[in-house]
Amino acid sequence: MGLGDAVREGLPVPPGVALSGDLVEAVASGDEKAIEKVMKAVADLSAPFAVRSSAVDEDGAAASFAGQHLTVLNVHSTADVPAAVREVWWSANSDSAITYRQRVGLFTRPSVGVVVQTLLNPDVAGVMFTEHPVTGADERLIEASWGLGEAVVAGLVIPDHFRLDRSGRVLERKAGRKRIAIRSLPNGGTFEQPVPPAQVNQICLDDIKLATLGELALRCEKVYGPRRDIEWAFQEGTLYLLQCRAVTTGKARTEMPDPGPPRQDPVASLQRVELFAGMDRRQSEQIARLLKERRFAKGETVIIEGSGGAAFFIIESGEASVSSKGVNLATLGRGQYFGEVALIDGGPRSATVTAATDLVCYALTFWEFRPLVERNGTIGWRLLQALAKQLRDAVSAGQKIS
């Protein structure tokens, strides 16, 4: 959704600002001036915030990145926004997002814009398709539940189900089972609040609200075109547009790992990696400038066996567990690394890595590493020498090479 377009067309969006792809990438890189610029841009907004992806190629006729790119909810303060922006940037550069890009023929470097909005505290929220997503019928399909719409998007409830024709006439009305509502926590993040028994099966949208949603569908089609998928919310009787794109399968991130220790020297971390050990200081600095901090909460999956590889990781703090086909292989700690082959061939991961504790890594994406090597023959040659040494060592150890 183009926030500027929505505002210009008078669509009912919550107060917010749009951040360009270049600015988002600078924040992800730890650029202090970019971070200050973002904090200044959101200073006039009321906290808490919702931080949503708005990638340049995010949703077209042939592909939708809903479910690939994160939404970070209930960001408690202005100072917390840059970390949320970094998480959204990484979601577009994750293995799952890159695998999806490969599958739909969009294997290009993503440009990730971000929208930061004041987070609503809605009475009811959900999603609306302006065309039936399964049958293709020319009708509105609406799913709704109490509280924040992530309960619907993430499949945590059986939502109320409605179908409207283009004039707004109700074709079908079916109550769901809405046992929980997603609510904001006072200090950031969200929680699942049990719904009172009387409301579990109670229809949450009356005819007036359904008519208002029907009008919003017409307005969104006028601005963005047909076959739209809309995230919406009612707060104190007022309807707000939260997102508008081709398909919404949904993925929301409601909590982030604790900020953890301050960033250390990435060059020193890089020089501990066998693949880069032969680089001189200048070459190491060139590569280190591309490293971006990546944080994972305990239990979070970092990479999944068999998925397309997008990034290489050096552990700065914490521990990670490595497994293959369900068998634990190793535990990695500070200074150790994984995923380096992905920088060269972008091929499938050979193992799954999970954060055994809260984990802080430096990460380097395929998108950024390849252009550097293509421009710098000396770095490419040193890299080739390191690979040759690894091959010789493997042969000497009697390992099978494939």
Side-chain angles (χ1 to χ4, degrees):
M1 178 178 74
L3 182 64
D5 289 339
V7 172
R8 282 190 292 272
E9 296 295 332
L11 292 170
V13 296
V17 297
L19 309 179
S20 70
D22 289 344
L23 180 58
V24 169
E25 182 158 349
V27 170
S29 300
D31 186 303
E32 291 297 332
K33 289 184 179 179
I35 291 171
E36 290 175 8
K37 185 174 181 179
V38 167
M39 291 175 63
K40 183 177 180 180
V42 303
D44 292 335
L45 298 178
S46 297
F49 307 105
V51 181
R52 307 177 186 275
S53 71
S54 182
V56 170
D57 58 359
E58 183 170 283
D59 294 304
S64 171
F65 287 85
Q68 305 295 335
H69 299 172
L70 291 180
T71 291
V72 185
L73 297 178
N74 203 22
V75 178
H76 191 58
S77 70
T78 300
D80 296 325
V81 169
V85 169
R86 183 174 63 241
E87 290 295 309
V88 173
W89 185 92
W90 267 113
S91 74
N93 287 274
S94 67
D95 283 359
S96 61
I98 299 310
T99 300
Y100 180 78
R101 286 176 175 274
Q102 291 172 318
R103 189 166 68 245
V104 300
L106 289 173
F107 197 55
T108 56
R109 180 176 181 173
S111 179
V112 189
V114 165
V115 174
V116 182
Q117 294 174 306
T118 296
L119 180 69
L120 301 177
N121 185 25
D123 310 304
V124 58
V127 298
M128 173 171 60
F129 296 86
T130 64
E131 179 182 290
H132 198 293
V134 177
T135 67
D138 187 17
E139 61 186 32
R140 317 310 194 188
L141 187 148
I142 300 169
E143 294 186 334
S145 188
W146 307 113
L148 290 164
E150 275 58 39
V152 176
V153 171
L156 301 178
V157 297
I158 300 173
D160 292 348
H161 176 92
F162 308 87
R163 289 169 46 236
L164 314 179
D165 66 17
R166 290 188 67 84
S167 70
R169 181 170 61 94
V170 180
L171 303 175
E172 183 182 8
R173 190 192 321 255
K174 184 187 301 182
R177 291 182 62 80
K178 307 172 293 296
R179 294 182 179 276
I180 63 167
I182 303 298
R183 304 290 187 187
S184 299
L185 286 166
N187 295 319
T190 60
F191 73 105
E192 298 178 6
Q193 181 185 61
V195 169
Q199 291 185 311
V200 170
N201 297 315
Q202 178 185 333
I203 290 284
C204 61
L205 292 175
D206 58 23
D207 287 344
I208 294 175
K209 287 185 172 65
L210 288 171
T212 306
L213 282 167
E215 293 170 4
L216 178 64
L218 290 171
R219 295 175 67 187
C220 286
E221 286 184 321
K222 181 179 178 181
V223 175
Y224 299 108
R227 305 183 68 248
R228 305 308 301 172
D229 177 3
I230 296 163
E231 294 182 33
W232 53 268
F234 280 99
Q235 178 172 285
E236 298 179 351
T238 300
L239 175 61
Y240 291 93
L241 171 65
L242 305 180
Q243 186 65 273
C244 181
R245 51 191 169 198
V247 175
T248 303
T249 56
K251 180 178 183 179
R253 187 184 187 98
T254 58
E255 298 180 7
M256 293 182 295
D258 187 84
R263 182 179 174 95
Q264 303 298 317
D265 178 15
V267 174
S269 298
L270 191 70
Q271 290 179 331
R272 292 194 292 266
V273 178
E274 185 179 3
L275 192 63
F276 302 113
M279 305 289 176
D280 61 28
R281 178 74 187 186
R282 179 175 172 276
Q283 292 163 345
S284 296
E285 288 175 347
Q286 285 180 282
I287 299 170
R289 279 196 291 270
L290 302 177
L291 293 173
K292 292 181 174 62
E293 191 178 273
R294 183 78 168 101
R295 296 174 182 270
F296 302 90
K298 180 180 179 180
E300 188 174 352
T301 300
V302 183
I303 62 175
I304 300 176
E305 185 175 4
S307 66
F312 154 67
F313 299 86
I314 306 171
I315 297 175
E316 179 55 35
S317 66
E319 294 184 340
S321 299
V322 182
S323 63
S324 178
K325 298 178 175 59
V327 178
N328 290 329
L329 302 178
T331 298
L332 305 178
R334 186 176 188 273
Q336 294 181 289
Y337 55 92
F338 53 93
E340 68 274 20
V341 177
L343 291 177
I344 299 169
D345 68 356
R349 299 293 195 185
S350 60
T352 294
V353 177
T354 306
T357 66
D358 286 349
L359 187 66
V360 180
C361 299
Y362 294 138
L364 174 59
T365 66
F366 171 83
W367 313 108
E368 296 165 297
F369 184 64
R370 183 173 66 178
L372 175 65
V373 175
E374 289 174 344
R375 293 193 308 266
N376 193 314
T378 304
I379 288 179
W381 180 250
R382 292 285 175 88
L383 189 66
L384 188 61
Q385 288 178 314
L387 289 171
K389 182 180 183 301
Q390 289 184 17
L391 180 62
R392 286 183 181 277
D393 291 345
V395 170
S396 297
Q399 296 180 15
K400 179 181 177 181
I401 303 302
S402 60

